[in-house]
Amino acid sequence: MKINVYRWHETPADIRQKILKRSETDIGGVKDIVAPIVEDVRKHGDEALAKYAKKFDGADISAHQIKATEEEFAEAGKRLDGKLKDAIRFCADNVRRFHQAQKDREERRWLIEVMPGVWAGEQISPLPSVGLYVPRGKGAFPSVMYMLCMPAIVAQVPQVVVVTPPTPEGRVDDASLFTAQVCGIKNVYKAGGAQAIAALAYGTQTVPKVSKVLGPGNSFVAAARRMLADVINPGMPAGPSEAIIFADDSAHVENTARDLLNEAEHGPDSASLLVTHSEKLAAAIEAILPNIINELPEKRREFCAKGFSTYGGIIITRSLEESIAFCNEYAVEHLQLKVNAPENVIPKLHHVGEILVGEYTPISMGNFGIGVNAVLPTGGHARTYSATSIWDYVKRTSLAMNTRKGFDALKGPIVTVSDYEGFPAHSSAITKRETEGLKEPPVDAILAAE
């Protein structure tokens, strides 16, 4: 079994570029496949969704069976093991608490007095609608369901729509459907891939058109989101899984090897890297990793084997600082930090979706139940995007007001700038304004308004 090992300072530029780009290279290559699917859904709606459910998911459903029914929700709960249901409730509640804390840290409406009589601030409102993409294909992911649904509910989005690929039996996966119910979501539709994104963008006879789409997906989903960016807010780029285990000599060898498999087992397009300046650790991981991969079931074993020979592997740097620089350049989705004195490293990691600190915080903990959101930017987009949070489900509106005192203090400088830029109507709205006896805005009442 081949495990890629790179000494970063000796790695040729073209290989470096391939490692940094990972499966993003695949997204451009599928656009020609995605374009006709998107157009078909735009024209034919539910009929196209049913056709692609049969073609891609092996699900023989009609155009009238796209939406999960109340009976299907009830049956899913009955079929599901009680222990799993309890675990889903437990983890989902942690996610709810975390996102509620995010919301509570910011007032719904705030103002500061930037100078006497001049007030500026924001009003925060939920988005009118969101579409949440919960993938399937390589497995069922109820954890993605609660990661996406809980912040939508906490943010009080009026219309929340879930799309997820159907099983071959024409159902939504039982655990995913049960989880949607736990989160309070009723609108779940059996559609996956590029066709699901098109349905959310254009709307169909059954699937409502929404304002924004959120959730991870494969290269076809990612390509559809990019192609439809003028029709729908495509949300944070969340493609194939990726992880860095950033470690030094203090890391536990076997734990580290197992941690490397967390994201690698998601699929053949996943990227999992050990980044270390420890030659000793790198050699130990290279030696034991094949045996640990061979412990996995066949499908996951194949995914990991391919990943470590393509997008993944071991990056050996010359120093801790070079490892930090690599991580910031790579801008990974998940980073597990296993070094001495992590408090000195964390402030230097600027471009990472999430940082999980220490041997007791494997990526799997973050993926399922710590509370932080596991839907994170991929493909290097952690340079400019943040982890999914309550703020992905709301928008900010600027809010400003002046008293008479504030107006008088501002008018001179404002007119000066307006005149310089050649806007006489701007200036006259101030210089010719009647100001005597006008009502001033009730700042306290506005802040207190529900």
Side-chain angles (χ1 to χ4, degrees):
M1 185 181 297
K2 181 185 176 186
I3 306 294
N4 289 330
V5 179
Y6 307 96
R7 282 177 172 75
W8 195 240
H9 67 286
E10 298 173 356
T11 303
D14 61 329
I15 302 298
R16 284 186 177 217
Q17 187 59 29
K18 180 183 176 183
I19 294 166
L20 292 169
K21 200 162 179 64
R22 53 275 210 192
S23 62
E24 287 291 295
T25 54
D26 299 336
I27 292 172
V30 302
K31 286 185 177 178
D32 290 344
I33 301 171
V34 166
I37 295 173
V38 167
E39 183 62 12
D40 194 8
V41 173
R42 186 183 75 81
K43 288 181 177 179
H44 301 113
D46 289 346
E47 291 292 339
L49 293 180
K51 178 176 73 175
Y52 292 121
K54 177 70 172 177
K55 180 176 180 178
F56 297 126
D57 304 305
D60 193 7
I61 58 175
S62 73
H64 304 293
Q65 296 173 311
I66 299 296
K67 185 176 182 181
T69 64
E70 289 183 11
E71 290 78 10
E72 287 177 294
F73 274 98
E75 289 167 6
K78 290 176 183 175
R79 281 191 294 264
L80 214 58
D81 176 72
K83 184 177 180 181
L84 177 58
K85 291 197 284 189
D86 288 344
I88 287 170
R89 291 189 187 99
F90 179 90
C91 293
D93 198 46
N94 279 351
V95 174
R96 179 195 59 76
R97 280 195 291 266
F98 174 77
H99 289 91
Q100 185 64 54
Q102 284 182 328
K103 185 180 181 185
D104 292 345
R105 290 175 71 87
E106 188 81 73
E107 296 177 68
R108 187 166 59 87
R109 189 181 301 110
W110 60 270
L111 289 163
I112 61 166
E113 197 169 14
V114 296
M115 60 181 294
V118 178
W119 295 84
E122 290 181 324
Q123 175 168 283
I124 298 167
S125 308
L127 299 179
S129 57
V130 294
L132 308 179
Y133 186 87
V134 178
R136 226 185 72 79
K138 304 183 189 81
F141 305 114
S143 62
V144 177
M145 184 73 79
Y146 58 72
M147 290 290 177
L148 291 171
C149 292
M150 276 303 185
I153 295 300
V154 171
Q156 299 179 318
V157 176
Q159 184 180 42
V160 182
V161 173
V162 171
V163 291
T164 188
T167 67
E169 296 76 29
R171 304 197 309 254
V172 175
D173 162 68
D174 287 344
S176 297
L177 204 56
F178 171 77
T179 304
Q181 191 170 39
V182 166
C183 295
I185 303 298
K186 296 181 179 179
N187 297 318
V188 180
Y189 299 88
K190 304 164 192 172
Q195 60 271 23
I197 305 303
L200 294 172
Y202 294 118
T204 72
Q205 296 88 342
T206 302
V207 182
K209 173 180 170 61
V210 297
S211 304
K212 184 176 184 178
V213 61
L214 292 161
N218 61 18
S219 1
F220 295 93
V221 171
R225 288 165 73 154
R226 291 185 189 181
M227 292 173 63
L228 289 163
D230 290 338
V231 181
I232 190 172
N233 182 331
M236 175 190 72
S241 299
E242 56 191 47
I244 284 175
I245 311 299
F246 179 176
D248 62 15
D249 279 331
S250 67
H252 187 283
V253 173
E254 184 171 338
N255 285 351
T256 301
R258 294 188 184 281
D259 290 336
L260 274 167
L261 304 187
N262 271 237
E263 298 309 293
E265 73 171 342
H266 275 275
D269 51 1
S270 297
S272 186
L273 294 167
L274 170 67
V275 177
T276 184
H277 59 286
S278 169
E279 294 271 0
K280 179 182 176 183
L281 178 65
I285 296 297
E286 184 183 6
I288 70 169
L289 195 56
N291 289 335
I292 293 178
I293 291 172
N294 283 331
E295 295 175 6
L296 297 173
E298 182 180 1
K299 182 172 71 169
R300 302 297 174 182
R301 184 167 68 244
E302 290 174 0
F303 291 161
C304 290
K306 183 170 183 181
F308 285 111
S309 65
T310 52
Y311 306 118
I314 299 171
I315 304 291
I316 303 173
T317 65
R318 292 171 293 184
S319 66
L320 182 70
E321 292 300 323
E322 190 172 89
S323 291
I324 292 169
F326 174 86
C327 292
N328 281 326
E329 185 178 11
Y330 194 92
V332 75
E333 179 186 17
H334 307 275
L335 185 145
Q336 187 180 1
L337 183 62
K338 306 207 296 186
V339 297
N340 279 310
E343 67 275 14
N344 296 331
V345 175
I346 291 170
K348 298 175 182 178
L349 292 171
H350 306 300
H351 307 308
V352 180
E354 70 173 358
I355 302 170
L356 302 164
V357 184
E359 293 286 0
Y360 289 105
T361 321
I363 292 170
S364 48
M365 290 277 190
N367 277 350
F368 296 125
I370 288 178
V372 295
N373 205 294
V375 180
L376 303 162
T378 63
H381 292 288
R383 279 185 286 273
T384 54
Y385 284 86
S386 305
T388 296
S389 72
I390 195 78
W391 307 120
D392 291 293
Y393 298 82
V394 300
K395 57 188 178 66
R396 292 177 168 89
T397 300
S398 293
L399 182 62
M401 62 190 77
N402 292 326
T403 62
R404 170 65 186 273
K405 183 178 181 180
F407 175 85
D408 289 341
L410 283 175
K411 64 183 180 182
I414 299 296
V415 168
T416 298
V417 175
S418 178
D419 288 346
Y420 176 80
E421 294 191 359
F423 292 113
H426 282 63
S427 295
S428 67
I430 295 172
T431 59
K432 298 183 183 300
R433 192 171 209 82
E434 294 291 338
T435 57
E436 292 301 322
L438 298 177
K439 186 178 179 180
E440 295 189 343
V443 176
D444 290 342
I446 289 170
L447 285 171
E450 293 297 328

